[in-house]
Amino acid sequence: MVTLFAKRALLAEGWVENLRLEITGGAVTGLTPDSAAQPGDTRVDTLLPALANLHSHAFQRAMAGMTEYRLAGRDSFWTWRDLMYRFTAHLDPEGVEAIAALVQMEMLEAGYTSVGEFHYLHHQPDGQPYARLAELSDRIMAAAATTGIGLTHLPVLYSYAGVGEVPLEAGQRRFGNNVDRFCALVDQARGALRDLPGDCRIGIAPHSLRATSPRDLNTVLAAHGEGPVHIHISEQPKEVEEVLTGLGARPVDWLLDNAPVDDRWCLIHATHMTEAETRAMAASGAVAGLCPITEANLGDGPFNGPTYLAAGGAFGVGSDSNVRISLTEELRTLEYSQRLRDLSRNVLVVGEGSVGQSLYSGAARGGARALGRRAGQIALGQLADLVAVDGTDPALCALEVDQLLDGLVFAASDRVVTDVWAAGRHQVRGGRHVAREAILARYRTAIAELLPRL
Ligand code: ZN
């Protein structure tokens, strides 16, 4: 058993002071507010439920900063995607693992305790499978074993280049599987997952309505009756038009009418929705997987937040392209995208209340649900997914306790994070990951080998 002592903590029922918290087997097994610290307790200032990062493509971290140069003509999401394809052509398994470990470490240091890895890089550069089909899934899991992050691994079904079963392009060969090979890959990955701690999970991710077909989607859903289901949806207007033309309905409308969407599902982006789609998605129980920094970086557009929240929709956040790993910036970008569109303030809260609390607690609960983790609040029996922040930081020290999450989201940076426990694994201490130097050294070596090949 591990014990913590926090000067204050946000429990499921609200703020408490002088909390002793016990962790056994990765879960919270004791909560005693108004206590005194005992010898052997790990002491922290302010303890919060940690967030899940519900959407990541780990390898894209190494491309950060390579796509911010304007070429003649108008740059777009689609030119960014072309560069991403060229980049993937040169990645080897060692590079995939080294980059994944780096970005998982950065996530933990930012205060995330888990990640949904939406994993579509499966094969060798020429499209041939590796000798072991799930080689690159194994590498993501090996990175998780190194970093201690709570992994929800989401192998991606990617079969087509567009609606109507358009054959894959050359740049997509490393991603491609038909349904049979995909199911074999998921089975292999599920086997490998047994080497990770028990909180790690596997789900499936049909890439998008563009990259699968209605028939294939039904087949994989029937074959995988449990675990999270994630899908990219309505990120770009061009995608909405393509689905409308090819399938006869807008993407979210089509999915809700043709798939058993419920609280197992996470709809990534869901940017371009009508009011009716927004309300229907909220009612489905699915989590909206919002990726505000990436959506801003790629020029996707703002989420329809006010309607979605008013309809009781669940949401979480993800770092997606991993151009920048910052939990606080992710949440504030989400709110600022709404303010800029609506020429308004304090948008993402229903009725009256703290926007920071609405964003943080909402993303904690929704993110955990999307990753299939029993987490998202500090309560008995929940996973010990915990983050400690330094309430004496200049960004926080002037605030009342009920303003702390506003300070964290709008005024602070991730440097206020002191300690992180992922299902009880104490991976960040004093703001640094416990294996930081080794992970950094391996990443630098991998990048030095990769760069000349680009
Ligand atoms: Zn994505």
Side-chain angles (χ1 to χ4, degrees), residues 157-453:
L157 173 66
Y158 199 124
S159 306
Y160 310 109
V163 174
E165 307 189 13
V166 178
L168 293 179
E169 299 164 12
Q172 299 165 328
R173 283 185 303 222
R174 299 194 76 176
F175 319 152
N177 284 304
N178 61 21
V179 167
D180 286 346
R181 196 162 76 183
F182 172 73
C183 290
L185 193 156
V186 173
D187 283 348
Q188 264 191 16
R190 193 185 304 279
L193 192 75
R194 294 194 195 105
D195 295 336
L196 289 179
D199 57 293
C200 294
R201 294 271 176 278
I202 195 160
I204 58 167
H207 178 273
S208 57
L209 294 181
R210 305 179 64 254
T212 186
S213 70
R215 187 193 57 221
D216 291 356
L217 184 61
N218 276 333
T219 308
V220 292
L221 289 172
H224 299 91
E226 54 186 49
V229 181
H230 288 219
I231 186 168
H232 289 130
I233 200 143
S234 290
E235 180 176 9
Q236 288 278 328
K238 181 176 157 189
E239 172 199 345
V240 175
E241 282 167 34
E242 187 180 328
V243 172
L244 192 53
T245 304
L247 297 177
R250 298 172 59 86
V252 172
D253 274 340
W254 188 91
L255 190 73
L256 293 175
D257 284 347
N258 291 278
V261 176
D262 60 13
D263 60 7
R264 280 174 70 200
W265 286 69
C266 182
L267 275 50
I268 306 298
H269 305 302
T271 308
H272 299 281
M273 294 194 289
T274 63
E275 291 289 294
E277 279 181 302
T278 306
R279 285 190 290 268
M281 181 180 156
S284 75
V287 176
L290 308 177
C291 309
I293 292 176
T294 297
E295 288 155 6
N297 183 271
L298 294 179
D300 290 343
F303 180 66
N304 187 4
T307 299
Y308 188 74
L309 254 58
F315 70 94
V317 293
S319 57
D320 193 4
S321 71
N322 296 320
V323 62
R324 177 160 162 73
I325 306 300
S326 170
L327 188 157
T328 54
E329 187 171 314
E330 207 72 75
L331 292 172
R332 91 174 61 105
T333 303
L334 174 56
E335 169 68 16
Y336 285 168
S337 69
Q338 310 290 303
R339 295 187 188 187
L340 286 164
R341 177 196 56 206
D342 295 349
L343 311 180
S344 176
R345 296 194 74 248
N346 298 336
V347 179
L348 291 178
V349 62
V350 178
E352 194 175 312
S354 154
V355 180
Q357 165 109 20
S358 169
L359 287 167
Y360 192 94
S361 298
R365 288 192 304 271
R369 188 204 289 183
L371 297 196
R373 287 178 80 76
R374 200 175 69 251
Q377 52 186 5
I378 302 178
L380 290 176
Q382 296 271 298
L383 288 177
D385 277 359
L386 306 170
V387 58
V389 301
D390 176 12
T392 69
D393 185 274
L396 303 178
C397 68
L399 301 175
E400 301 288 338
V401 71
D402 57 3
Q403 298 171 318
L404 262 181
L405 292 177
D406 293 323
L408 183 68
V409 170
F410 294 103
S413 71
D414 296 342
R415 71 160 189 270
V416 301
V417 171
T418 62
D419 294 82
V420 173
W421 289 262
R425 297 181 293 278
H426 193 181
Q427 298 303 106
V428 175
R429 303 171 189 225
R432 292 295 179 101
H433 190 277
V434 292
R436 177 170 242 278
E437 295 313 316
I439 291 168
L440 270 180
R442 188 173 179 185
Y443 177 75
R444 291 200 174 105
T445 301
I447 291 300
E449 286 171 11
L450 173 65
L451 285 179
R453 286 185 249 142

Side-chain angles (χ1 to χ4, degrees), residues 3 10 35 45 54 144 165 187 211 324 328 395 422 424 448:
T3 53
L10 181 60
S35 323
D45 186 87
L54 56 65
E165 307 189 13
D187 283 348
R324 177 160 162 73
T328 54

Side-chain angles (χ1 to χ4, degrees), residues 45-229:
D45 186 87
T46 303
L47 195 66
L48 303 170
L51 261 66
N53 182 343
L54 56 65
H55 188 68
S56 160
H57 310 287
F59 74 86
Q60 293 179 15
R61 178 65 181 137
M63 293 167 50
M66 290 183 184
T67 61
E68 311 300 332
Y69 181 90
R70 188 182 180 98
L71 296 167
R74 188 155 176 267
D75 252 326
S76 73
F77 172 89
W78 307 98
T79 52
W80 171 86
R81 197 184 69 160
D82 286 344
L83 192 133
M84 186 265 284
Y85 287 174
R86 290 210 299 281
F87 187 84
T88 63
H90 301 283
L91 274 177
D92 61 13
E94 172 59 25
V96 168
E97 183 176 336
I99 298 166
L102 177 92
V103 76
Q104 290 172 8
M105 175 188 82
E106 292 178 319
M107 290 169 187
L108 284 157
E109 289 183 346
Y112 295 110
T113 48
S114 56
V115 63
E117 179 62 24
F118 196 105
H119 175 74
Y120 60 85
L121 193 63
H122 297 304
H123 307 309
Q124 300 182 60
D126 64 0
Q128 287 300 308
Y130 287 98
R132 188 177 141 78
L133 183 57
E135 169 73 33
L136 295 184
S137 285
D138 290 355
R139 296 299 188 138
I140 299 293
M141 293 188 207
T146 299
T147 62
I149 205 163
L151 176 68
T152 293
H153 191 59
L154 300 161
V156 171
L157 173 66
Y158 199 124
S159 306
Y160 310 109
V163 174
E165 307 189 13
V166 178
L168 293 179
E169 299 164 12
Q172 299 165 328
R173 283 185 303 222
R174 299 194 76 176
F175 319 152
N177 284 304
N178 61 21
V179 167
D180 286 346
R181 196 162 76 183
F182 172 73
C183 290
L185 193 156
V186 173
D187 283 348
Q188 264 191 16
R190 193 185 304 279
L193 192 75
R194 294 194 195 105
D195 295 336
L196 289 179
D199 57 293
C200 294
R201 294 271 176 278
I202 195 160
I204 58 167
H207 178 273
S208 57
L209 294 181
R210 305 179 64 254
T212 186
S213 70
R215 187 193 57 221
D216 291 356
L217 184 61
N218 276 333
T219 308
V220 292
L221 289 172
H224 299 91
E226 54 186 49
V229 181

